[in-house]
Amino acid sequence: MAASPARLVAFDILLQVEQQDAYASELLHSKRFENLSAADHSLATELVMGTLRWRSFLDLEIEHHSSKSLPKLDIEVLIALRMAAYQILFLTRVPSRAAVHESVELVKRAKKKSAVPFANAVLRKVSARPKVDPLGLIADSKTISELVAASAHPQWLVERWVERYGESAARKICLYDQGPPGLALRIPNPQVEAELQREGVVLSPGRLLRAARRVASGDVTSTGVFFAGRLSVQDEASQLVAMVVGKGEKILDCCAAPGGKTRVLAEVNPASKILAAELHPHRARLLRQLVAAQNVEVENIDILQLPVQHSFDRVLTDVPCSGTGTLARNPEIKWRLKPEDLADLQSRQRAILQSSLQHVAMGGRLVYSTCSLEREENEGVLEAVLEENPTFRLVPAITVLEDLQELGELAWPTPKDLTSGPYLRTLPGVHPCDGFFAAILEKVRA
């Protein structure tokens, strides 16, 4: 009997993630797999994301029962073993024998028949272990090393979070990363909300923003308003960054794709002219499709090459970053990222910010943001760039958050909780959202 459609898709996606540095969330929503039934798509998502989230934990379990070291295994065999181990240890509704059988079938499909007896033997040993309580594993860990193993995170990341944010916050970050994050929406008007409810989607209020909604139950992606592009699926912290940009007549969005923040800017500034700059042609095309507002012009251009004479009273510089604040959505990041990568990212981020500052009009403001938890990409970039640009001052984020609260936009009751010094800072698990950083710079003299 061949493996089920969901497992075949999950295996193929995990193989692409390993071999092509692809992103699982993008593959799961690609046209290639859109014909899966709702049940199969749900199972494929569970298998892909669960296997990626718990990869190091699964590898330790496999290695414990393996006669071969994991680096010596063909990647196809290792992926099949990881998928089976995840089902055996974490999924209560999947019988162990089914997980073993279908993963062995995946090994055969990958033309690794010589590895079938080995895979069968390893997985039968794994099957003898009781199911895992993932939340209990993390809660019961006493030392940093135990937390690293129990939460399936790289040790270097956990250690730096403990040093930077404290052990309690680091534990909450790890816990948040190991489960599916809540689904937040940006809904432009009550009519869209009513249509969603008629299609069986139950919504709850936003936790950070009044205009946000959270999906309590139902499948948003199967609704008519979703297919019509009349709402945005966007984390609340991402929405908040765009709200912090504020209002202006001419707005520049420097690294605009995928476009969620651009849509918020257009919604908040319906009479403004917004230039959304995107370096990559295919992402610029997708951005044009997502952001259909008449006041948004999408340009396929490198922000480093935008003519200096262009000036704007509001600029959003949401730079490419490590993404360590989004590991619940993109767990593959934690297995790819290396400490030395942060220096390269910082160099690029400083260049983008330096270029962006040239386009801020007198008295205008620029918001620099990342979805990273790492100091090198956040405070480190700001401190270096501000030292070289004395014509700008740092605006305390608390003042803008309090303004949003006074306007009735901010739902979070204590704005100071969303700050770290002069900066906006959200932490996964500490706050009910992804991890974002933002700094507000104002041009005070020529």
Side-chain angles (χ1 to χ4, degrees):
M1 182 189 300
S4 67
R7 290 176 175 85
L8 290 173
V9 166
F11 179 87
D12 289 344
I13 288 176
L14 289 168
L15 190 59
Q16 281 188 257
V17 168
E18 287 286 340
Q19 294 182 331
Q20 302 173 23
D21 282 349
Y23 283 91
S25 60
E26 292 181 3
L27 292 174
L28 281 163
H29 293 95
S30 65
K31 289 185 177 181
R32 180 182 171 190
F33 304 117
E34 65 182 2
N35 292 326
L36 277 179
S37 69
D40 280 337
H41 195 277
S42 177
L43 178 56
T45 300
E46 175 68 42
L47 295 177
V48 168
M49 303 307 279
T51 300
L52 288 171
R53 288 188 182 111
W54 294 99
R55 197 184 86 172
S56 63
F57 184 94
L58 301 172
D59 283 357
L60 284 173
E61 186 67 21
I62 293 165
E63 195 165 40
H64 178 69
H65 299 295
S66 174
S67 57
K68 302 177 183 178
S69 65
L70 299 196
K72 292 185 178 181
L73 298 180
D74 290 332
I75 189 61
E76 295 89 349
V77 175
L78 183 55
I79 288 173
L81 291 175
R82 286 171 177 166
M83 283 178 56
Y86 176 69
Q87 294 169 81
I88 292 165
L89 297 176
F90 288 86
L91 300 187
T92 56
R93 295 184 178 181
V94 177
S96 294
R97 63 182 181 277
V100 173
H101 170 75
E102 296 219 22
S103 290
V104 167
E105 290 300 312
L106 289 172
V107 173
K108 293 178 183 176
R109 175 178 174 262
K111 299 181 180 179
K112 305 293 178 182
K113 289 187 178 181
S114 62
V116 166
F118 165 79
N120 208 0
V122 169
L123 294 178
R124 292 194 180 282
K125 292 176 183 176
V126 174
S127 298
R129 173 169 173 163
K131 295 284 185 184
V132 168
D133 171 16
L135 303 186
L137 282 175
I138 298 173
D140 293 343
S141 59
K142 301 295 190 295
T143 66
I144 302 304
S145 294
E146 288 179 0
L147 175 60
V148 166
S151 68
H153 278 67
Q155 184 159 342
W156 71 274
L157 269 181
V158 176
E159 287 177 346
R160 62 167 36 227
W161 294 342
V162 170
E163 181 179 358
R164 180 75 176 143
Y165 302 113
E167 185 175 341
S168 175
R171 190 177 295 274
K172 290 176 182 177
I173 293 168
C174 290
L175 189 60
Y176 187 91
D177 288 348
Q178 293 310 98
L183 195 63
L185 307 177
R186 184 81 181 185
I187 298 178
N189 57 63
Q191 180 182 351
V192 171
E193 186 168 354
E195 289 182 44
L196 283 173
Q197 291 172 341
R198 284 197 295 271
E199 293 195 59
V201 177
V202 178
L203 302 174
S204 60
R207 300 280 301 279
L208 296 185
L209 292 167
R210 303 284 181 198
R213 293 292 183 271
R214 291 184 169 241
V215 178
S217 63
D219 182 7
V220 171
T221 62
S222 67
T223 62
V225 290
F226 177 81
F227 282 111
R230 295 169 59 203
L231 60 78
S232 297
V233 177
Q234 185 180 13
D235 183 79
E236 283 198 72
S238 175
Q239 296 182 41
L240 178 59
V241 167
M243 293 295 294
V244 165
V245 174
K247 297 186 178 182
E249 294 181 4
K250 293 178 65 180
I251 300 173
L252 172 64
D253 190 351
C254 292
C255 306
K261 297 182 186 68
T262 314
R263 286 182 70 154
V264 176
L265 292 176
E267 175 192 326
V268 174
N269 296 275
S272 303
K273 292 183 178 180
I274 301 173
L275 174 60
E278 172 53 42
L279 172 63
H280 303 286
H282 70 285
R283 288 167 65 86
R285 287 194 296 272
L286 292 173
L287 181 59
R288 290 188 184 96
Q289 295 172 12
L290 178 68
V291 184
Q294 292 184 347
N295 61 331
V296 176
E297 178 186 358
V298 177
E299 288 285 346
N300 176 205
I301 190 170
D302 186 346
I303 191 62
L304 302 180
Q305 298 173 358
L306 186 67
V308 175
Q309 61 263 30
H310 287 69
S311 62
F312 302 82
D313 46 3
R314 290 292 183 271
V315 175
L316 173 59
T317 305
D318 184 45
V319 296
C321 68
S322 64
T324 53
T326 67
L327 298 185
R329 301 180 195 281
N330 305 294
E332 58 270 59
I333 288 174
K334 63 185 175 182
W335 310 123
R336 293 175 183 167
L337 189 67
K338 302 291 184 291
E340 55 268 25
D341 295 338
L342 297 176
D344 291 337
L345 285 164
Q346 186 190 72
S347 177
R348 185 180 179 192
Q349 290 154 352
R350 286 179 60 176
I352 294 172
L353 179 55
Q354 285 279 21
S355 181
S356 302
L357 289 176
Q358 298 179 51
H359 304 292
V360 182
M362 180 60 62
R365 289 184 175 184
L366 178 148
V367 172
Y368 171 87
S369 67
T370 77
C371 54
S372 167
L373 305 183
E374 315 317 315
R375 191 184 192 284
E376 291 90 335
E377 302 178 86
N378 298 322
E379 295 92 341
V381 170
L382 265 297
E383 290 166 4
V385 171
L386 278 173
E387 187 175 348
E388 298 170 358
N389 293 271
T391 59
F392 285 83
R393 76 176 182 98
L394 193 61
V395 178
I398 185 64
T399 61
V400 177
L401 293 173
E402 287 175 344
D403 287 345
L404 289 174
Q405 186 180 50
E406 188 173 336
L407 291 168
E409 300 282 1
L410 192 70
W412 193 262
T414 48
K416 189 170 179 57
D417 292 348
L418 302 173
T419 65
S420 174
Y423 305 113
L424 168 67
R425 157 58 73 206
T426 60
L427 295 174
V430 176
H431 305 102
C433 55
D434 289 344
F436 269 82
F437 170 93
I440 306 162
L441 305 181
E442 183 175 69
K443 189 168 185 176
V444 292
R445 60 180 184 271

